[in-house]
Amino acid sequence: AKYTEPYRPQYHFSPAKYWTNDPAGLVYHDGTYHLYFQYNAGGIEWGNMSWGHATSPDLTHWDEQPMALLARGFPGNLTEMFFTGSAVADVNNTGGFGSDGKVPLVALYTSYYPTAQTLPSGKVVRKEQQSQSIAYSLDEGMTWTTHDSANPIIQDPPTPYEKQFSNFRDPFVFRHEESQKWVLVTALAEIHKLLIWTSDNLRDWTVASEFGPVNAVGGVWECPNLFPLAVDNSPAKSKWVLVIGLNPGGPPGTVGSGTQYLIGEFNGTTFVPDDDSVYPGNKTANWMDYGPDYYAAASYNGLPAEQRVQIGWMNNWQYGAKIPTSPWRGAMASPRRLSLKTIGQKTVLLQQPHENLKTIRSERAKHYSWDSLPAGSKDLGSAGKQLDLELSFADDRTSKATQFGIMVQTTSDLTQQTRIGYDFHARQMFVDRRKSGNTTFDDTFASEYRAPLAPGQDGRVHLRILVDWSSLEVFGGDGESTLTAQIFPDLSATHAGLFSSGGSTEDITLDVWEMSSIWK
Ligand code: FRU
């Protein structure tokens, strides 16, 4: 359906109505990308957690589907909520859920039991317990059956972590071909530990190792993901990436939730981070995104290794329930392609918008170039609210400017403006949303965010910026730094303009594409 509400993302996924948080169960099967998501079946704040569902042929156009898992007892008498999890296509039917030759999609998710109860499986669970359960689908992910005769299949955390039974969640499952096993990663959220499990049949799991705490531990650890990526596009050489959500305790300068990752080796049972991926004293971390609004990042199962794609929830637990949107709350960030590149001695994670996003760009870009722009600002007129921008300029360390960048979704009098720029001295990119529009719903919202960014080999700074009605995603350089932030500007804030502060900026090129809406 066509969406016309104020702030409604026009090319990012959001549900027609009600609350969403984490993407979950991301699986590609038979030509369809499935996006399940944490969903309140009856409200615009967190609650009644169910699995919503959307499908896409190309990771760009989405169709919202009927709910996949509805909170048990909804409405009014909840006995089980369906928290975050993951899904695989069990093509060899190792779990035995397939029938009539149909490939089962199998989801592992966290069961949250609000009340103590005896389950159909005969298992007795405690009030507010979190356990891991199975559901499967025999109709291409459209309807799901919970495996009630056995659920939960992992009831309690193992010794010596039994006390963590109400902070035990977010199973991420994947196939490890080398060992011919299924691997599952779960979080012991409060104590900053992950458990790694293995299985032959998706039902019976054995603890293989544990990981953590390392690096950022400012809040609970949630939503782990673990996957291999080729280094420098060489299939012969790959490393593993471990992604961990943190709430609160996100990147410096943000308040609330954020996402960190580690790069290392995984042998089917144990993850060992590279020395240069770990920082002693839990002082810092590798930040997946330096902005305030990128959380619970999850990646697709079912794609070839070189096509790893990740989707994050474009919101923050600090103010998630207060953002001024209606009748929905929460949207997903653009699907990102991940890769690893060696820069100097270090393996660095790169993120790029999925290439299919280019299919909804206007046919031709508005192309601009300037040899030099003097200190001040330059109005580019009304550019709209759905944009894909590529901006580049020189940084040879002789710049007289202190900052250069672009303002988007500004009103013509500039009273509302969001600044995306580069600080020549600090070599950082930044997003400044202090005057971005409605910022008053939360005290911490009106703020500026920074990420490290060096010019490329060509001596130029490159920024790719995705602008939608209520969001920005900035990809710096080759994608070694990203910065995602929500904004809530007025309807009339459609202008764009450049700014150079403290002096002139040289050799600027700018391409501006309008993006078409994915909602028809
Ligand atoms: C992360 C999270 C997960 C949990 C889900 C509940 O945002 O807290 O740990 O499974 O949300 O909705």
Side-chain angles (χ1 to χ4, degrees), residues 3-5 8-12 386 468-469 516-519:
Y3 287 135
T4 54
E5 304 96 338
R8 176 69 89 169
Q10 292 299 319
Y11 67 97
H12 289 81
Q386 300 159 223
D468 203 343
W469 282 60
S516 48
S517 175
I518 61 167
W519 309 115

Side-chain angles (χ1 to χ4, degrees), residues 21-22 38 46 49 83-84 169-170 222-223 295-296 317:
N21 52 288
D22 314 356
Q38 285 289 277
W46 188 91
M49 292 326 286
F83 277 13
T84 290
R169 58 181 175 269
D170 303 342
E222 304 178 318
C223 306
Y295 194 57
W317 283 113

Side-chain angles (χ1 to χ4, degrees), residues 86-88 108 171-179 181-185 196-199 202 205 225-228 240-242 266 268-269 299-302 308:
S86 51
V88 289
L108 282 124
F172 180 74
V173 64
F174 63 93
R175 184 75 183 164
H176 188 255
E177 288 304 337
E178 292 81 346
S179 60
K181 296 231 181 247
W182 297 104
V183 177
L184 186 72
V185 189
I196 297 179
W197 311 67
T198 58
S199 171
L202 291 166
W205 293 94
N225 265 230
L226 178 61
F227 49 83
W240 287 73
V241 181
L242 178 65
F266 178 69
T269 59
S299 76
Y300 269 89
N301 277 316
R308 184 61 57 170

